[in-house]
Amino acid sequence: MKHSDAIAGGIFASPDFLSQFSRTEIIIGGVPMEVQAVPASAPLDRDRLAALGLAVIEVRPDEQRSIERLISLTAALPEVAVIAAISMPDVALVRTLLREGVADVVSLPFNHTELNQVVLEVLARQADRETKLHPLIGVVKASGGSGATSTATQLVGKLADNDWGGEPPLLVDLDVQFGTVAEYFSIEQSGSILDLLRSTERLDDALAHSIAIKKDRFSVVIAPKEIVPLETVDLDSLLNTVQFMRMHFGAVVVDLPPCWTDWSLSLLAECDLVLMVGELSLHGLRQARRNLDLMDSIGISRQKVRLVLNKVEKKLFGSLRPEDAERTLNCEVVAVLPLEDALGQAQQAGESIYQHARKSKYAQELTKLAESVRALVGDGSKK
């Protein structure tokens, strides 16, 4: 996909359909786009279009010249992703346009949410062919107090040892009610994941990096300081934002809330790897099974779920062992993290376990976990 220095896309439609855009340059799906009033059958500047990566172009089903204009442009400019904007499209026309190389279709009059989503989906497919999306790793709690958030905060720092296309790994705190990632890193900044979700229509690299707090070798997006209802999170906005993050950061680790919602389960289904953090106890295994059964019921394969046994004490090996957990839950244990004072001391100091006690047993086991994660997800995924 080609891009000019400033404008990377364009919207070309009749004036009647452009009245909702107050400026001649807008951002849709993170793409700076020019807005240009052009009749549906009028010639378009091919040289100008060739400099763009993406073009939303009106086509009138009742005008053969309009249809031919679009088809000829897609044939002449195969590197430009063309989205057809159609009022009341019929199935036959849509099939014809897609067969002729149109990337997607959007309805007229424009709806900001739909347009944003379609642009992001087209960009994702382009990224799939050109750059790969970086992995999405979900961290979930088998039960409250299992230490999932501390595991996520320590893991993301170790993932920075790997090369993710030159981009830093990102940790996103999605527990919008009781998220504590900010406390782990002593972050006082006010910007949060909600600011990104509310800005999907103007989401770009600059905005994303202004909200993502840069730490040592990774970045963090925190949960809001105020408690908000779980239904505040819009699913489409969340999926679009996470998709954007995967294109502009390295591996993305999401710390999910303890309460399941439609949006958290939908995001979990998008993950390349799910790490369920639980304790090696009868209660911990019982709760892990309940969560796994829920995932089974909505079609999330256990093949992409791994167990992380946390806060494991040596004395427990006399009664329950990691192999027992694997056999009972039919799910692979990918790490056994010991209960150590060193971890709590590191967290109180706002440090990673490697900064505080790099030779500790916890640090050694965390290294094995990070290596296993990298082996499981590789350096990118294709959708």
Side-chain angles (χ1 to χ4, degrees):
M1 182 182 291
K2 297 180 180 179
H3 299 277
S4 65
D5 293 337
I7 300 298
I11 299 177
F12 305 91
S14 303
D16 290 346
F17 293 121
L18 301 179
S19 58
Q20 61 183 286
F21 301 117
S22 58
R23 302 187 307 275
T24 57
E25 294 183 9
I26 60 173
I27 292 177
I28 298 291
V31 179
M33 304 185 77
E34 65 179 71
V35 178
Q36 189 174 125
V38 183
S41 300
L44 292 171
D45 185 342
R46 293 194 179 187
D47 291 336
R48 178 58 185 148
L49 287 173
L52 303 176
L54 182 146
V56 181
I57 302 174
E58 178 188 0
V59 58
R60 293 195 52 150
D62 57 344
E63 292 187 10
Q64 188 61 31
R65 286 177 55 195
S66 178
I67 297 173
E68 292 174 352
R69 180 188 71 169
L70 192 72
I71 292 175
S72 65
L73 285 172
T74 58
L77 304 172
E79 294 186 7
V80 178
V82 175
I83 296 173
I86 313 174
S87 178
M88 300 179 64
D90 64 79
V91 176
L93 176 60
V94 170
R95 286 177 176 171
T96 297
L97 295 178
L98 294 176
R99 188 169 58 247
E100 294 293 337
V102 169
D104 213 325
V105 174
V106 67
S107 301
L108 288 174
F110 290 115
N111 174 283
H112 272 280
T113 301
E114 181 195 12
L115 181 58
N116 189 73
Q117 182 176 348
V118 169
V119 168
L120 281 169
E121 289 174 354
V122 169
L123 289 176
R125 292 196 291 270
Q126 291 291 106
D128 188 32
R129 290 191 291 269
E130 297 175 2
T131 61
K132 288 187 177 180
L133 294 175
H134 286 125
L136 179 61
I137 302 160
V139 178
V140 301
K141 306 164 180 64
S143 60
S146 61
T149 298
S150 64
T151 301
T153 57
Q154 295 295 322
L155 175 62
V156 70
K158 192 59 181 174
L159 290 177
D161 287 350
N162 299 115
D163 177 29
W164 305 100
E167 301 295 341
L170 176 70
L171 173 61
V172 181
D173 190 349
L174 284 175
D175 188 349
V176 296
Q177 294 189 319
F178 306 107
T180 55
V181 167
E183 295 177 19
Y184 280 100
F185 295 112
S186 302
I187 295 172
E188 298 296 334
Q189 180 174 320
S190 58
S192 74
I193 182 62
L194 287 187
D195 295 290
L196 295 177
L197 298 181
R198 292 165 177 165
S199 305
T200 52
E201 292 182 5
R202 57 185 182 88
L203 183 58
D204 59 11
D205 194 54
L207 177 61
H209 281 86
S210 72
I211 299 297
I213 299 99
K214 186 75 171 67
K215 301 303 290 183
D216 183 20
R217 296 182 300 147
F218 58 93
S219 296
V220 180
V221 173
I222 62 174
K225 295 185 182 299
E226 70 280 7
I227 295 177
V228 298
L230 290 172
E231 57 268 22
T232 300
V233 177
D234 176 74
L235 175 58
D236 288 339
S237 296
L238 175 64
L239 294 179
N240 290 340
T241 299
V242 170
Q243 191 92 318
F244 182 87
M245 293 301 194
R246 296 176 69 186
M247 295 166 63
H248 292 264
F249 290 85
V252 176
V253 180
V254 290
D255 186 22
L256 289 158
C259 299
W260 290 118
T261 64
D262 287 343
W263 60 260
S264 62
L265 287 169
S266 296
L267 183 61
L268 201 68
E270 295 294 315
C271 290
D272 300 295
L273 175 66
V274 177
L275 298 177
M276 180 180 294
V277 182
E279 298 183 37
L280 188 57
S281 65
L282 290 176
H283 171 73
L285 297 185
R286 188 177 301 113
Q287 295 303 315
R289 176 182 289 281
R290 294 179 67 195
N291 281 285
L292 287 168
D293 288 345
L294 174 63
M295 293 180 199
D296 287 342
S297 71
I298 61 172
I300 297 176
S301 171
R302 292 200 188 189
Q303 292 184 350
K304 70 174 183 179
V305 181
R306 297 293 186 276
L307 294 175
V308 176
L309 298 177
N310 195 30
K311 303 180 182 180
V312 176
E313 299 179 76
K314 290 184 179 179
K315 63 180 181 181
L316 289 180
F317 283 102
S319 54
L320 283 174
R321 300 171 299 171
E323 307 91 84
D324 298 324
E326 288 186 328
R327 183 171 56 255
T328 301
L329 300 176
N330 189 29
C331 189
E332 180 182 343
V333 173
V334 75
V336 179
L337 303 177
L339 180 65
E340 281 191 342
D341 292 338
L343 177 61
Q345 294 165 0
Q347 290 171 339
Q348 286 184 345
E351 298 176 340
S352 74
I353 189 65
Y354 299 100
Q355 293 171 311
H356 185 79
R358 62 185 180 86
K359 294 184 179 180
S360 65
K361 180 65 173 176
Y362 186 96
Q364 295 173 20
E365 294 304 316
L366 188 71
T367 297
K368 294 178 184 178
L369 172 59
E371 291 172 348
S372 297
V373 167
R374 182 56 190 251
L376 287 166
V377 302
D379 59 359
S381 67
K382 291 195 173 184
K383 294 295 181 187

